[in-house]
Amino acid sequence: MRTIAHFVDGKPYSGAGDRTAPVYDPATGAQQAQVLLASSADVDDVVASAVTAAAAWRNSSLAARQKVLFAARELIAARAPKIAEAITAEHGKVLSDAAGEVQRGLEVVEFACGIPHLLKGGFSEGVSTGVDVYSIRQPLGVVAVISPFNFPSMVPLWFVPVAIAAGNAVVLKPSEKDPTAAVLIAEAFADAGLPPGVLNVVHGDKEAVDRLLEHPDIKAVSFVGSTPIARYVYETGTRNGKRVQALGGAKNHMLVLPDADLDLAADAAVNAGFGSAGERCMAISALVAVDPIGDELVAKIKERIATLRTGDGRRGCDMGPLVTAAHRDKVASYVAAGAEAGADVVVDGRDVTPDADGEGFFLGPTLIDNVTPSMSVYTDEIFGPVLSVVRVPSYEAGLDLINSNPYGNGTAIFTNDGGAARRFQYEVEVGMVGVNVPIPVPMAYYSFGGWKASLFGDSHAHGAEGVHFFTRGKVVTSRWLDPSHGGLNLGFPQHT
Ligand code: NAD
């Protein structure tokens, strides 16, 4: 059995831990490798080498860091097909979708190439006689990035390029379910000239995460995953004095007003509901149809689902498998619970015949109509290819439903009424909003993040907030002596 090792100090590292986890090919159901799970002692070793690397990296010039980032950008772009293949093999999403996430991650590398501009401070000359004040932002030291299974390359790349560009060293702990993409990215940075130890990948589970959360040399933690773990990481990390941004789960609503272009809305609902088998934190899982368009919209979505091909992501299918058998079974149980609670299962993905060999973890696209807000298929984040339709009498009722939901990651309104769209973006309590755009993932130069139970902490990912998160501000007040000494004065400094 192939073993996937950690990547530390610019090379593979096995550590002393003896635990492993299986890595499956979700399209065939076969175990294809095992990944090492770091022990606490392994984490300590990795952090120690990152501390050494961080001290030297901090001294590198902005020009030197920028050069590495530009080179990494070229290498990741050249290796994107290989990274996408690894993602499809371990995660299951179709190849084109895997390539898409690498591209979105690459955009953050491109953003970080502008670090000399992004780190510019302010300068005020002559705030008092002979006194100047200026602000600078300095790196934190060693930071941890802990990422989920569903975007094995994009989520690490939301943080890693910005953290490195700002002068930090990084310990990246990817999901143990699909660990290879993180190693390929770290290799690309190493080949681009990043000094050993500045970007390390340590595989592991709760033991590794807990050690990172308590390690005194980890200064900040960027986490992305489910809400219960995000809350735990935020509370534990901050209790240990760390800066933490912890992005959690989601339940994203798409509100369709009666004046919307229903063909556009149906296309969008299918793309955003079933892309990556619904395993996206920005997937649409609740379609909120304002009366009287429910029947027509459901019919259009049903027609489109009939054209989708589910199967092995390497075979040009539209939708791949779920990540594990256990997850597939859990998602399928929500379909059963919805039917039992009285919702109408319009398309049942449990009946799918996938285009794949073996016993892959498949569930076909599923459409459930007449879902009510008390059903588990609505209340829970399902994270699978299940689109629930909730019917509401008015815009106000739809807005209330969205704002009453504990999550606030993404949402979208579909309408041709500019005034309604404008009102929605003003009133809705969600961090990322689309107007006739179902998956409004911000560009790298804006910041990604939700509200409420979808993000714990103050900073969103990448963009200006990312730069802010990975640096701390310092303000310097300097006085270069001129002959006008003021003499002794024990009063509070005032400006003259
Ligand atoms: P997860 O919470 O199970 O795992 C995330 C990370 O935490 C992994 O690295 C995992 O090894 C680690 N982990 C798991 N259990 C842990 C524990 N008990 N203690 C400490 N660490 C633990 O999430 P997942 O299943 O890998 O990813 C899917 C979830 O991530 C979904 O809820 C999805 O909405 C969310 N997500 C959110 C965003 C966002 O931007 N808000 C983006 C992507 C994914």
Side-chain angles (χ1 to χ4, degrees), residues 37 145-151 154-155 158-159 173-178 202-210 213 223-230 232-233 246-252 278-283 323 327 381-383 407 409-410 432 448-450 453-455 461:
L37 298 178
V145 175
I146 302 166
S147 56
F149 81 84
N150 69 318
F151 283 111
M154 184 182 79
V155 168
W158 278 353
F159 306 104
K173 208 294 296 165
S175 170
E176 64 277 32
K177 295 193 178 94
D178 43 18
V202 64
H203 303 295
D205 55 6
K206 181 170 169 53
E207 181 173 343
V209 171
D210 282 346
L213 292 177
F223 172 91
V224 181
S226 58
T227 287
I229 311 295
Y232 168 77
V233 166
L247 284 68
K251 191 82 190 179
N252 304 312
E279 291 173 327
R280 288 182 183 145
C281 58
M282 291 291 275
V323 70
H327 187 54
E381 181 188 37
I382 299 178
F383 223 55
Y407 297 105
N409 212 40
M432 293 171 282
F448 181 108
S454 295
L455 190 145

